[in-house]
Amino acid sequence: MKLRRSALVATVALVAAGALNAVPASAGHPERPADLSLRALGQRSDLAIGTAVDMAALDDTTDPQYRKLVAEQFSSVTPENVMKWEVLEPTQGTYNWAPADELIAFTKQNKQRVRGHVLVWQNQLPAWLTDGVNNGTISDDQLRDILHKHITDTVSHFKGKIWQWDVVNEAASDPWDSPSTIHYKGFWTQHLGGGIIADAFRWAHQADPKALLFYNDYNIEAFGDGGPGDKTQFVYNMVKQLKHDGVPIDGVGSQGHLGTQYGDYDALQINDTLNRFTDLGLDVAFTEVDVRSQMTAGVQAGDSNEINPRLQAAAADFSALMQGCLANRRCISFTVWGFTDKHSWVPGWFKDPLEGMATLYDENYQPKRAYNTLKADLIFAGRR
Ligand code: G3I
């Protein structure tokens, strides 16, 4: 029988280590495993590797590769849209659980965990709700009861099936908003005040005490100057206060929507930021990672002079987030917001100028440099 090269090296190393009464080589240099899927590599470091799932793509029988890769590469999934309020309750009092239930069944088959997304967010709300508030037929007191019911019904329906819930999403403003001092923004806090955030966590916890409850936001990958325009600092202060007040919050989700045209973060900056959050006694997770690029005429024409630097910069950004996460044991999952450019929210959202190329696989499901870089990071980590 032929020993694999890595196994042979490991055997020799173990014998040598035994002779020297030293730590086995495998402790510092884990061998390259046979299963090189992202999910298997992540497991070696107790890190769930997740993806957002587009149910239309998962159900598309003409596109079997999508379903195959979700199952093969990922140990966690997040419904990209089907647990949002407009999908769950398009008509008041009539729930549409079917698409989300279908995803849960898929994850059961494939031994995957689920990040529930999302309970309190200002986007993708049903028209009956926003219209009712706008035309005055829903008062603020009624709105509060409606939100309480939504959280209770939704979390109860999925009780025991959700690992992490994004309870509150994107409640902090951005420095480019007016005023530029970071503040609570959006429908819920406008109508019900900042205290609704704590209540949402309490209501979710009552409905499923075992689910991990997260605050989730973008542009909080690194601290700025710590001043009034620093969004990461604002979120930090908010979750610190929630913890202090005994609110049942378990973690902070950092979305990780990056772009190659912006300043890069390095892995240590990322890790420092995560460490500050986990020092508060919270878990952290990257929840929606993608790295977009401007689709110039040259990129669209296939000019490698323009494409290659973007692929390299994207790989570096994915890797900085992954390395920062791997260096903190309370970073419990790393989720990409779609894994193929064939199904990514980016080109539909950033149209002028057009952006794209944001995911790990191209439109033909060919893995890009970023995919292999993440794998290399996971191989080198061997965090156990
Ligand atoms: O379902 C309708 C379909 O019936 C209709 O024909 C079609 C026509 O435009 O629209 C479909 O709805 C779209 C929906 O995605 C489902 O595909 C909406 O127009 C579109 O706006 C919506 O976009 C989603 C976006 O959230 C909305 O805010 C993206 O798919 C989704 O990736 C994105 O995800 C968010 C996270 O939840 C929170 N963080 C940011 C992230 C990216 O924006």
Side-chain angles (χ1 to χ4, degrees):
M1 189 184 74
K2 249 189 173 178
L3 272 179
R4 279 184 301 126
R5 182 170 173 274
S6 52
L8 184 62
V9 171
T11 309
V12 171
L14 273 173
V15 170
L20 295 170
N21 196 19
V23 178
S26 60
H29 302 280
E31 60 178 291
R32 195 161 157 166
D35 184 347
L36 286 175
S37 66
L38 291 172
R39 67 181 288 172
L41 292 174
Q43 196 176 5
R44 297 163 73 242
S45 292
D46 290 328
L47 179 66
I49 309 291
T51 183
V53 171
D54 171 349
M55 286 310 286
L58 195 76
D59 284 341
D60 183 354
T61 49
T62 67
D63 185 8
Q65 189 70 354
Y66 185 90
R67 183 173 267 265
K68 178 174 173 283
L69 286 172
V70 175
E72 177 188 287
Q73 295 292 324
F74 299 99
S75 50
S76 166
V77 305
T78 307
E80 186 173 357
N81 286 301
V82 296
M83 281 188 197
K84 292 173 180 173
W85 199 334
E86 70 172 5
V87 177
L88 288 183
E89 197 184 8
T91 307
Q92 188 168 16
T94 307
Y95 283 107
N96 167 38
W97 305 115
D101 285 346
E102 184 197 327
L103 181 60
I104 301 266
F106 176 88
T107 62
K108 211 171 166 200
Q109 256 173 16
N110 293 294
K111 300 185 171 48
Q112 294 162 313
R113 300 174 117 174
V114 183
R115 295 198 81 260
H117 178 85
V118 51
L119 297 171
V120 183
W121 191 29
Q122 54 269 23
N123 290 359
Q124 291 176 282
L125 293 171
W128 61 262
L129 179 69
T130 48
D131 289 351
V133 170
N134 290 337
N135 66 26
T137 54
I138 297 177
S139 69
D140 284 353
D141 281 349
Q142 288 168 325
L143 183 64
R144 187 181 156 79
D145 290 344
I146 289 171
L147 180 63
H148 189 174
K149 178 171 165 31
H150 171 73
I151 291 175
T152 303
D153 288 354
T154 305
V155 176
S156 302
H157 178 83
F158 297 111
K159 187 176 178 183
K161 296 170 182 164
I162 303 293
W163 178 33
Q164 306 170 25
W165 263 115
D166 286 334
V167 177
V168 178
N169 193 43
E170 300 172 10
S173 68
D174 293 289
W176 56 81
D177 290 330
S178 179
S180 59
T181 298
I182 310 299
H183 53 278
Y184 288 128
K185 71 163 187 201
F187 183 84
W188 294 106
T189 51
Q190 268 161 24
H191 288 283
L192 302 177
I196 195 63
I197 293 176
D199 286 336
F201 280 93
R202 293 190 186 105
W203 294 335
H205 183 68
Q206 275 161 12
D208 186 353
K210 289 195 179 149
L212 295 177
L213 305 182
F214 274 67
Y215 176 78
N216 191 49
D217 215 329
Y218 59 87
N219 284 354
I220 58 165
E221 293 80 17
F223 282 92
D225 62 7
D230 184 343
K231 184 172 178 176
T232 310
Q233 186 68 47
F234 179 91
V235 170
Y236 176 87
N237 295 343
M238 179 186 77
V239 297
K240 185 176 180 188
Q241 188 64 44
L242 291 172
K243 279 293 279 185
H244 177 263
D245 294 345
V247 174
I249 178 172
D250 298 293
V252 171
S254 180
Q255 295 184 1
H257 291 294
L258 303 183
T260 59
Q261 68 271 40
Y262 305 119
D264 285 347
Y265 298 119
D266 64 51
L268 291 181
Q269 260 176 307
I270 300 290
N271 182 243
D272 285 344
T273 307
L274 298 180
N275 293 348
R276 288 193 55 191
F277 281 110
T278 59
D279 283 349
L280 296 175
L282 294 163
D283 288 332
V284 287
F286 282 111
T287 54
E288 304 185 14
V289 180
D290 53 18
V291 186
R292 59 188 187 270
S293 283
Q294 289 192 1
M295 303 293 284
T296 59
V299 169
Q300 292 184 60
D303 181 353
S304 58
N305 285 318
E306 294 203 26
I307 292 173
N308 285 335
R310 286 171 169 76
L311 293 174
Q312 287 161 7
D317 277 347
F318 271 103
S319 180
L321 298 181
M322 178 59 89
Q323 290 182 3
C325 174
L326 282 166
N328 183 324
R329 281 185 179 273
R330 293 201 69 170
C331 185
I332 59 176
S333 61
F334 184 99
T335 295
V336 293
W337 204 244
F339 59 92
T340 165
D341 292 341
K342 188 170 180 187
H343 301 287
S344 162
W345 70 292
V346 169
W349 198 267
F350 300 95
K351 288 186 165 148
D352 188 19
L354 183 65
E355 297 183 43
M357 295 176 70
T359 71
L360 298 176
Y361 292 79
D362 71 13
E363 293 188 357
N364 301 310
Y365 295 108
Q366 293 307 303
K368 301 186 214 166
R369 173 183 284 253
Y371 172 79
N372 281 337
T373 303
L374 288 189
K375 279 167 97 161
D377 287 339
L378 289 165
I379 290 169
F380 297 146
R383 213 167 43 162
R384 277 230 167 110

